[in-house]
Every structure is written in C-alpha cells, then in structure tokens.
Amino acid sequence: MLIPKRNINIEKIAESGQCFRMTKNSDGSYGLIHNGRYLRILTRDDKDAYEFICDKKTYEDVWRRYFDMDTDYGIIEDMADPEDDYLRNAIEYGRGIRILRQDAWEMLISFIISQRKSIPAIRTSIEKICRLCGTRIEGEKEELYAFPTPQQIDALTEEELLTCSVGYRGKYIKAAAQAVVSKEIELEKINECDDMSLKDNLLRIYGVGEKVAGCIMLFGYHRLDAFPVDVWIKRAMDEQYPNGFPHHKYRGCSGIMQQYIFFYIRHTYGRV
DNA sequence: TGCCAGGCTTCAC
DNA sequence: GTGAAGCATGGC
C-alpha cells in the first residue's frame, strides 16, 4: 500500500512522544505494533510516498483509522492565529504529525510509566514489560511482542514488574491493572462519556493525575480538546503564553496544537 | 558525575 | 485549596 506523503510524516510521528513502540529499523524502515499487529513502513522517495507493508484490506480495516487518515490536518493548521508566530512556526516545524488512535489500555499504562522519565527511558520500560508478559506476535522473524493485556499485567508479581525499570510506578501499574480486571473501571464504556466525565473517571485510577489523564484522553480516546501539560508544555506556556493559551480559538483541536508545540519546543532546546 | 525526565501521592497548613 | 517533600531509575 502506497500512502502519499502529503500531510503525514512517519519520522516525526515516531519521535513525537505520543507513541513509544514505533521504531526505526537498522535498514531505515519503521516498525510499529498496535493491537497485536505489526506494521512495517518503507520510505519510497521515488514515489513521494510511504509504503505500508500490508494488504489493502488490513490498511482499510486497521491502519487508516489508526493514523487518523480521514481527518484533514491542513484545515486544522489553517486555524492557527495569523498573529501567533510561535504556533505557526511550531505547526510548520511539525507538519505531518497526526494524532494516532491508539489503544486506551496501552495509553493508560504507558503514560503511568512516563511520569518523570525521559522518552527513551519510557520506551525501554515498555519494551521490557511487553517482552516479560506480552503475547509473541506470530509470523515475524524477529521476536515481537504485543502490549500485554490487563490480565497479563495483573498476573505479574511486584518483583517481576520491578525488573522493567518502572521503580515507584510499579504500584500504580498494579492498581490500574487490578481496576481494569475487576471492572472497577471499564475503559470502553467510559468512552461514552463527555470529556469532563471521562477525565473524572481516569483520575479515579491510582497513579493517574491531570497530565497523564490528558495524554490518555488525547492519544487513547482521540479527545482532541485534551491539552496535557508536562514540563515542556509548561515551559512553552511560561515563555510564549504568559496570559494562558487561547484554547477558545482552537476548540476541537487544541490537543493537536499542543502536540505541535511539544514537538517544536523539544527540538528548540536540542533535546531530540 | 550530576542533572533531568510527557508527575503523582501524601501530608502540612 | 495550595505548597512542598519524597519518590526510583535510565539516559545523556
């Protein structure tokens, strides 16, 4: 499947900090795992496109939605205030980033792990957990593992979890798995809630605060008004928006603007 | 080597 | 409701 490069940039998405299991292979291709499926992506400069290594049906059934291909990001980019140079620069810099429609459970655990960790360290931890208790993906030469189910993580002992470099977050991960397995929290059902109620439900989970809830909403529930504020976004807000970010101008897409700013400021400070 | 990382809970006040 | 302490460990 050839996907034109217009409005999608796999390299930027892979390092945008919204997903942790999309990695660059030694041959320059990209690989990602989602819901137990592996997708390899080649860059085809000769066609000005990406080549998704999958059949058309799988693309239509799975990846088209995952990459949010039915949203026109050009329209969203045009919403930026013409006088907001910072945002316009951020968008220009991050053009091609899209908000992936990832799995809510995976986002819950991934962003619990993310607190006070660097992105490379988050990736390392998540990979360890997948190898420790995730299901091996069939039909691939490499050893690839799906993200563990709630039951698989719930079955781990505290000691096993600690081998994944999660540190003090181990108890949060256990509690989250327990809450899901026991149906104390129903991740699919709460998708019926409006944004505010969805956030309230997520905040009930031990180890989930404002920022992590925002990330789960944005990347796991595709709630595009979620605006998670981490140390980087706070830095951008303090420096560029001393009177607060004008959310009212970006109703329905301020989370996307957040993602452009996050990507931009991390590169501005040379941390990537 | 020391500092920082897509923060959270707990506990004063 | 607000503010500060304490937290585990990898990566640069």
Side-chain angles (χ1 to χ4, degrees):
Chain A
M1 284 294 301
L2 285 178
I3 310 298
K5 279 191 174 178
R6 194 168 55 83
N7 279 328
I8 181 169
N9 186 306
I10 296 298
E11 294 84 351
K12 291 180 187 175
I13 292 172
E15 60 175 79
S16 68
Q18 61 174 306
C19 57
F20 304 106
R21 306 199 70 204
M22 188 182 296
T23 54
K24 190 171 189 175
N25 299 319
S26 52
D27 64 359
S29 67
Y30 281 81
L32 72 99
I33 295 166
H34 166 65
N35 281 357
R37 287 177 192 271
Y38 179 67
L39 174 67
R40 206 158 75 91
I41 301 174
L42 309 179
T43 302
R44 291 288 300 272
D45 287 328
D46 55 326
K47 304 262 185 185
D48 199 28
Y50 293 106
E51 183 174 1
F52 285 19
I53 309 300
C54 67
D55 55 46
K56 185 172 171 57
K57 179 170 169 39
T58 306
Y59 172 74
E60 292 296 338
D61 291 351
V62 180
W63 304 115
R64 183 187 184 109
R65 175 182 154 77
Y66 180 79
F67 282 97
D68 197 26
M69 295 305 280
D70 293 315
T71 299
D72 185 345
Y73 282 69
I75 292 175
I76 292 164
E77 291 170 4
D78 289 341
M79 287 173 67
D81 182 346
E83 296 183 2
D84 187 341
D85 290 337
Y86 187 76
L87 182 58
R88 297 194 76 84
N89 287 337
I91 290 173
E92 176 67 32
Y93 193 80
R95 182 162 292 128
I97 291 175
R98 312 177 72 83
I99 305 294
L100 303 176
R101 292 176 182 266
Q102 301 182 77
D103 177 67
W105 160 249
E106 181 172 340
M107 294 301 97
L108 168 61
I109 298 302
S110 296
F111 281 97
I112 283 177
I113 290 172
S114 79
Q115 57 186 268
R116 274 176 71 95
K117 266 185 181 294
S118 65
I119 290 177
I122 298 165
R123 301 176 85 106
T124 301
S125 266
I126 291 175
E127 227 31 63
K128 284 181 180 175
I129 289 198
C130 293
R131 282 188 166 271
L132 178 63
C133 63
T135 302
R136 170 110 188 242
I137 296 174
E138 306 280 344
E140 299 290 339
K141 281 184 200 168
E142 313 163 64
E143 277 191 43
L144 299 170
Y145 293 86
F147 192 85
T149 63
Q151 289 75 16
Q152 285 172 324
I153 288 186
D154 188 46
L156 295 176
T157 65
E158 191 102 18
E159 283 184 346
E160 286 174 320
L161 259 181
L162 290 180
T163 65
C164 302
S165 311
V166 295
Y168 66 91
R169 307 162 194 81
K171 56 183 182 291
Y172 301 155
I173 296 169
K174 283 294 283 181
Q178 179 61 43
V180 172
V181 168
S182 70
K183 297 194 175 179
E184 181 188 333
I185 179 126
E186 300 187 82
L187 293 175
E188 285 185 18
K189 196 170 181 183
I190 60 176
N191 193 23
E192 296 168 8
C193 301
D194 60 23
D195 285 3
M196 200 191 303
S197 174
L198 173 60
K199 179 185 267 190
D200 285 342
N201 274 285
L202 293 171
L203 289 174
R204 282 168 37 213
I205 303 170
Y206 183 52
V208 175
E210 279 286 331
K211 189 269 167 183
V212 169
C215 287
I216 300 168
M217 290 176 69
L218 185 55
F219 307 129
Y221 290 96
H222 209 70
R223 300 300 176 101
L224 299 180
D225 275 316
F227 195 90
V229 177
D230 72 320
V231 290
W232 291 102
I233 293 295
K234 184 175 187 320
R235 194 170 290 161
M237 295 298 109
D238 290 346
E239 292 176 3
Q240 305 294 333
Y241 301 93
N243 299 321
F245 187 74
H247 292 284
H248 59 279
K249 294 179 185 169
Y250 307 112
R251 198 140 294 164
C253 66
S254 65
I256 299 178
M257 301 306 184
Q258 183 271 6
Q259 194 59 17
Y260 288 129
I261 293 170
F262 177 77
F263 186 78
Y264 184 53
I265 191 167
R266 288 185 73 237
H267 285 258
T268 306
Y269 277 75
R271 289 301 178 86
V272 179

